[in-house]
Amino acid sequence: MTTTPIAVVDLFASALHFRPDGELRATERRMTGGGAGAEGAWQVAAFHVETDADVHADHWEMHPEAEEAVCCLAGGARVFFRPVEPGAAEESVRLAAGSAVIVPRGRWHRLELDGPSDLMSITLRAGTRLERRGAED
């Protein structure tokens, strides 16, 4: 029987990939899908972020394969949702420390910070797309 070595994982430097077969491994953190062994894996990643540039606030992001939990562990952030209907306004939710929002599968979203924060995301990264804000016009 093979066993996973016991080691401390730095969640701000690595991601945890949970595979459908029950395997769990610490791996390189990626904003989009792919990477060796990432197929079908849910990624849990924590981020210490200081500025809007750290959360690519100038880009929309979309995960076609699954919902995403965006969690605020410390600090505060706002999650904006691209309008579904042409001409409609962006929707947004504010996340305080200890709160989360579930982003629907396939829904374009972006983040802005209230200040330095610790965030965590949980999703399937397969097929994740980024689009520069304004390109949707």
Side-chain angles (χ1 to χ4, degrees), residues 11 33 134:
L11 291 176

Side-chain angles (χ1 to χ4, degrees), residues 21 56 61 74 77 82 87 91 110 112 120 125 129 136:
D21 64 3
H56 59 78
E61 178 181 63
R82 182 190 281 177
E91 297 175 65
R110 64 183 183 85
E112 291 182 7
M120 181 172 61
R125 291 272 171 209
R129 293 174 42 200
E136 70 276 9

Side-chain angles (χ1 to χ4, degrees), residues 58-118:
D58 60 343
H59 281 75
W60 292 105
E61 178 181 63
M62 187 268 289
H63 310 286
E65 301 295 326
E67 285 75 27
E68 177 183 25
V70 177
C71 312
C72 182
L73 306 176
R78 287 160 285 139
V79 181
F80 293 87
F81 298 90
R82 182 190 281 177
V84 176
E85 300 295 324
E90 292 180 2
E91 297 175 65
S92 68
V93 296
R94 186 167 190 187
L95 298 179
S99 65
V101 64
I102 298 171
V103 177
R105 177 188 317 237
R107 186 74 190 265
W108 289 93
H109 59 285
R110 64 183 183 85
L111 284 89
E112 291 182 7
L113 300 178
D114 293 338
S117 302
D118 291 335

